[in-house]
Amino acid sequence: MLYNYSFANRKRDLSDVMATVIKDEPRFISNFRTAPDAASAKHEYLEDQLTGRGVAATAIADGVLTLSAADAAKLKVGTLLALKDDPALFRVTAVTGETAALELAGSNGSNLTAATGLPAEGGKFLIVSTPMGEGTSNGDGEENYHLSTVEWNATQIFRKEIVLSGTALAVNLYGNADNQLNRQTAFALADLARDLNRVALFGRRVEATVNTRGEAGGLYFFGTQPGVPVIDAAKSKLDSFLINDAAQAILGEGGDPMQILCSPGQARVISNEYRDRIQILRSDDRRGAYVAVIVNEINGRGMTIMADPDMPDGDAWVLDTGCFALASLSGRAITDMDATPGGFDGIRRVAIGELTFEFKNVKQRCCRIKNLLASSEAIAALRNA
C-alpha cells in the first residue's frame, strides 16, 4: 500500500451510521425502523395480528348475509353487529361457511324492525362485540381471526466505493487521510440512502439463484397486490375527501393512518387546502420532506405530509408507518473495508452490505390513491381561482 491511514486493515461496521443517515433522510426511506437480522437471502417474517372491526356483506336474503371467507371467520354465534349508518343492533344466530344468519336484537330508534328488512344489495356492518357468559373458556369468545401469516422479501446486495487518489491526498484539503476518507464515506452512505429509497418505492422481489441476482421488493410491488385498498381519483385534484376515504379504508382494516406520501407538487396542492389548519412542528423545521401535520377527519389524529421527490406525481399513498422495517442479512450489515489493489495510486475502500425491507400487513396499512390530476394543472387552477 502506497498510502497509510489509521484504519487501513480494519473492517468497520457502518450499520449504526447508516441507521442515522436513513432516519434523517427526508424521504420515504426514513419510515423504515431497524428490524432483526434476516436469517437467509429469502427473508421471511411474521405479519402483525391486525383485525378489522367490521364485515362487508355482498348480498342479504331473509336476514342471511353472504360474506367473504375472511369476514365470516370474524363472526361467532352471539356476535352483535350494527349496519353502518344505522343504529339497529343485530345478533348472529348461525355461521355456516360464508354466510351468517341475523336476528334483530334492538331497533334503537331505527326504521328497521326485523333482520328481513336489511337491504338486499348488502352493505357494511360494524362488529359491536361478542358478549360472554359466566365460566367461559378459550374458544368461547373472540379469537385472533387472522393468525400471524408469513410474508417474505428477498435480500439485495448494495455496494459503494470510496476512492481517494494520490493527488487528492497530497492536496490535503480536508485534513489527513483519515478525515478525507471519513468525509467521502459520509457521501457514499448518503448516496446509498437515496438508492435504498428508490428500491423501497419501486423495487421488485426476486429471489437470488445461481444465475439471478437477488432484488428487494418495494412499496409498489407489495402495495399493488390484489386486496390492497386503492382509490381511483379519476384525474381529480388531491383533496381531503380522497385522503379521508383512504384513511377510512385503513382504519376499517385495523390500521392507523399516519402519513400521506406524495410528490412535492401534490404536497403543495393538499397543503393549500389545509393552509388555515396546518400544524408546523418546530422539531421538523429542518426536514424538507415534512410539509406539515394535518388532522384527519376520521379519527382526529394527525397525519404527516411527506413530499418525496422520487414519488410519481399521479399517485399518493396514505400509510400506517408501522408497516415498514429494514433488515440486514445476518453478518452482512453495511461495513467498509480496504480494497486498494497493489500499486494503486491512492486509497480505495468499499462499503458493502446485504439488506431487505419488511412490509407488514400491507393490505391493512397502505392505501394507494391513483390517477390524480397532475400537480402542475391543479396548482395552475388554484392560482387562477
Side-chain angles (χ1 to χ4, degrees):
M1 184 180 293
L2 300 178
Y3 302 92
N4 293 316
Y5 54 101
S6 62
F7 49 91
N9 297 313
R10 296 181 188 172
K11 181 179 181 179
R12 298 190 301 174
D13 184 354
L14 301 178
S15 55
D16 287 345
V17 180
M18 191 68 218
T20 302
V21 171
I22 287 173
K23 182 176 180 295
D24 289 337
E25 184 71 15
R27 287 175 166 82
F28 174 57
I29 190 64
S30 63
N31 290 322
F32 287 75
R33 66 190 185 281
T34 302
D37 287 350
S40 69
K42 181 181 179 180
H43 176 48
E44 296 183 319
Y45 50 89
L46 286 176
E47 295 196 311
D48 297 329
Q49 294 181 359
L50 296 181
T51 304
R53 300 296 297 170
V55 296
T58 56
I60 306 174
D62 295 326
V64 177
L65 312 185
T66 300
L67 306 163
S68 67
D71 279 351
K74 299 176 183 179
L75 305 180
K76 283 182 168 291
V77 173
T79 298
L80 298 175
L81 302 176
L83 180 64
K84 190 176 183 301
D85 299 324
D86 193 289
L89 187 67
F90 297 89
R91 179 180 179 273
V92 177
T93 58
V95 180
T96 307
E98 297 181 3
T99 63
L102 304 184
E103 66 178 8
L104 183 69
S107 62
N108 294 334
S110 170
N111 292 325
L112 293 172
T113 57
T116 52
L118 288 167
E121 65 274 14
K124 293 184 178 179
F125 288 80
L126 309 178
I127 297 176
V128 177
S129 68
T130 302
M132 295 291 102
E134 293 185 24
T136 56
S137 61
N138 288 343
D140 292 332
E142 294 192 51
E143 302 169 351
N144 289 320
Y145 310 123
H146 300 289
L147 296 178
S148 293
T149 54
V150 177
E151 183 57 275
W152 69 277
N153 203 353
T155 59
Q156 181 171 336
I157 299 171
F158 295 87
R159 178 188 180 104
K160 294 291 177 183
E161 292 195 356
I162 302 108
V163 179
L164 281 174
S165 67
T167 302
L169 290 165
V171 171
N172 203 25
L173 184 61
Y174 297 106
N176 58 29
D178 284 20
N179 290 341
Q180 293 193 61
L181 280 169
N182 285 332
R183 177 180 172 82
Q184 296 306 318
T185 300
F187 286 134
L189 292 181
D191 192 35
L192 176 57
R194 287 189 286 272
D195 287 355
L196 286 170
N197 188 69
R198 290 176 179 175
V199 175
L201 283 171
F202 310 117
R204 59 174 187 162
R205 184 177 68 183
V206 179
E207 188 176 1
T209 63
V210 175
N211 299 314
T212 305
R213 298 174 183 177
E215 298 179 35
L219 177 64
Y220 274 88
F221 176 86
F222 287 97
T224 56
Q225 300 177 89
V228 180
V230 60
I231 294 172
D232 191 341
K235 295 301 177 183
S236 61
K237 175 172 67 75
L238 180 62
D239 59 17
S240 58
F241 294 101
L242 290 170
I243 289 170
N244 286 310
D245 285 348
Q248 189 167 13
I250 292 173
L251 281 167
E253 293 297 329
D256 185 10
M258 301 177 187
Q259 186 180 97
I260 303 159
L261 177 67
C262 57
S263 69
Q266 296 293 356
R268 290 178 62 191
V269 173
I270 192 61
S271 60
N272 181 78
E273 178 181 347
Y274 282 96
R275 61 186 178 276
D276 58 341
R277 291 168 284 168
I278 275 179
Q279 302 173 16
I280 301 294
L281 300 184
R282 297 179 71 124
S283 60
D284 283 336
D285 58 2
R286 67 188 178 88
R287 294 188 179 187
Y290 292 91
V291 176
V293 171
I294 62 175
V295 176
N296 79 64
E297 298 162 12
I298 304 302
N299 63 357
R301 294 187 180 181
M303 289 194 297
T304 302
I305 302 173
M306 173 172 279
D308 190 324
D310 293 331
M311 266 293 296
D313 190 63
D315 281 352
W317 292 80
V318 175
L319 306 170
D320 177 346
T321 55
C323 179
F324 312 116
L326 179 66
S328 304
L329 182 61
S330 182
R332 294 274 285 164
I334 295 292
T335 58
D336 79 328
M337 65 193 78
D338 190 84
T340 309
F344 179 72
D345 182 21
I347 297 172
R348 174 176 289 167
R349 291 184 71 84
V350 60
I352 193 167
E354 192 164 355
L355 312 171
T356 191
F357 307 101
E358 292 182 359
F359 291 85
K360 291 189 176 183
N361 305 86
V362 172
K363 294 179 181 180
Q364 294 155 295
R365 285 174 160 159
C366 300
C367 182
R368 180 188 178 194
I369 304 172
K370 65 179 183 179
N371 291 332
L372 288 169
L373 179 69
S375 62
S376 58
E377 295 181 42
I379 291 169
L382 291 168
R383 192 172 282 165
N384 297 327

